[in-house]
Amino acid sequence: MLPEYPFASHYHQLPAGRLHYLDEGEGPAVVLVHGNPTWSYYYRNVVAELRLTHRVIAVDHLGCGLSSKPQKYDYTLASHISNLESLLDSLGLERFSLVVHDWGGAIGMGLAAGRPQQVDKVVILNTAAFRFHWMPRRIAVCRIPFFGEILVRGMNGFAWPATFMAVTRPLSPEVKRAYLKPYNNWHNRIAVHRFVQDIPMKEGDVSMAKLMEIEKALPQFSGAGRMLILWGGRDFCFNMAFYQRWCTLFPEAEHHCYEDAGHYVLEDAREEVIPRIAEFFRREV
């Protein structure tokens, strides 16, 4: 059993494999969408808290966590959005809220863009759902042809460094092992590498048109009480420029920056962030 992860596993069958997800609690639905190289384990403490008052669904993207890891699959932004749409349709959800982090921002807001009338609230955690023509060098090197794949898949040079580069408070050995367990060999690290390859940086990149479509749709989610932005201020990737962009796009949103927290804000600022998320979802809009 993984530490702090005492949840039942559920699976949704897709043409390319099984999509693993958690489905805990009863009440208004909240969908938790992770990024790279995490999985639903990142949200374990959010699930434990929110399931007391809500139905909480935490997905593992195809290729991630406890989901299938097909080797012949495109792993694009549009595909991840389509997979999430398929899951929610299978569950019959008519309304839901979102919590998004890292790549989960583009995936989750891509889902929302296709069905804005179904979305109640959104929590933004160190992520982007818009164009931004900057990338840290330590991620750019993972995109170098051939070398990047050897680094990420062969040497675990993305998921493993994230266990200490993405936090400012050291993770326990047990939690580190839990984060890395689904990504323990070349085969199982395929999506970690494909996510890095798929980052849209310029016109013509595979997922750029989809990202532009999502960016254009963002204003639909304006409105007092609909969005909460919680940010780790020492994120080396989604830095303060991304935070300011969110605050500019949604000036009416409640926002908080935790200056000493890193990219994994749910780890570094757990005691402050999780109660704030729970309180936000208990509020009437």
Side-chain angles (χ1 to χ4, degrees):
M1 180 177 290
L2 297 170
E4 303 175 349
Y5 195 82
F7 311 116
S9 289
H10 301 268
Y11 293 91
H12 172 60
Q13 187 65 50
L14 297 166
R18 295 199 309 170
L19 199 70
H20 173 263
Y21 66 98
L22 306 180
D23 191 347
E24 297 279 325
E26 297 179 356
V30 181
V31 180
L32 312 179
V33 191
H34 73 83
N36 186 40
T38 59
W39 53 290
S40 57
Y41 187 77
Y42 179 66
Y43 286 117
R44 65 198 184 281
N45 296 306
V46 177
V47 174
E49 179 67 27
L50 288 185
R51 69 177 175 175
L52 302 175
T53 54
H54 289 72
R55 182 182 182 185
V56 190
I57 297 154
V59 65
D60 287 346
H61 303 304
L62 205 64
C64 301
L66 304 182
S67 291
S68 299
K69 298 175 176 65
Q71 302 298 292
K72 295 182 179 180
Y73 186 73
D74 64 8
Y75 291 106
T76 60
L77 173 58
S79 294
H80 290 300
I81 294 169
S82 177
N83 294 340
L84 187 54
E85 288 174 335
S86 177
L87 171 62
L88 296 198
D89 288 344
S90 75
L91 296 175
L93 293 187
E94 295 182 359
R95 299 196 66 81
F96 58 90
S97 293
L98 287 165
V99 181
V100 298
H101 177 253
D102 190 272
W103 258 104
I107 297 169
M109 296 313 292
L111 168 79
R115 48 187 77 189
Q117 71 283 354
Q118 293 182 255
V119 180
D120 289 324
K121 295 182 176 184
V122 180
V123 175
I124 300 292
L125 306 169
N126 289 70
T127 187
F130 41 74
R131 290 165 291 171
F132 214 97
H133 303 293
W134 174 86
M135 181 185 296
R137 186 176 300 174
R138 66 187 85 178
I139 291 179
V141 73
C142 296
R143 288 162 57 94
I144 298 172
F146 182 71
F147 175 77
E149 187 164 25
I150 296 298
L151 179 64
V152 174
R153 299 185 68 183
M155 302 172 65
N156 203 12
F158 197 89
W160 172 67
T163 62
F164 53 89
M165 288 183 179
V167 293
T168 58
R169 293 167 54 178
L171 300 173
S172 71
E174 295 78 17
V175 168
K176 280 186 179 181
R177 283 194 292 270
Y179 269 116
L180 296 176
K181 187 174 182 179
Y183 309 120
N184 58 354
N185 59 45
W186 174 280
H187 178 282
N188 288 343
R189 291 193 280 266
I190 185 168
V192 177
H193 182 237
R194 297 293 191 266
F195 265 121
V196 176
Q197 285 185 313
D198 193 46
I199 298 170
M201 296 297 296
K202 62 183 186 302
E203 188 175 348
D205 285 350
V206 172
S207 291
M208 180 57 83
K210 189 64 177 180
L211 183 63
M212 292 173 65
E213 177 187 316
I214 295 166
E215 180 178 349
K216 186 177 180 180
L218 289 177
Q220 297 178 87
F221 305 101
S222 298
R226 293 195 68 194
M227 183 173 289
L228 173 64
I229 304 167
L230 302 172
W231 211 264
R234 291 174 60 186
D235 189 339
F236 72 91
C237 182
F238 292 93
N239 59 29
M240 292 300 291
F242 289 85
Y243 174 65
Q244 294 300 334
R245 179 75 181 279
W246 281 110
C247 292
T248 299
L249 286 169
F250 297 96
E252 75 287 352
E254 179 183 349
H255 53 91
H256 303 272
C257 180
Y258 301 90
E259 294 182 0
D260 293 330
H263 181 57
Y264 289 0
V265 65
L266 291 180
E267 300 290 353
D268 288 335
R270 170 178 172 176
E271 295 83 0
E272 297 88 359
V273 169
I274 293 176
R276 199 178 291 276
I277 291 173
E279 192 274 331
F280 174 69
F281 283 124
R282 285 196 296 265
R283 274 187 239 153
E284 296 290 336
V285 176

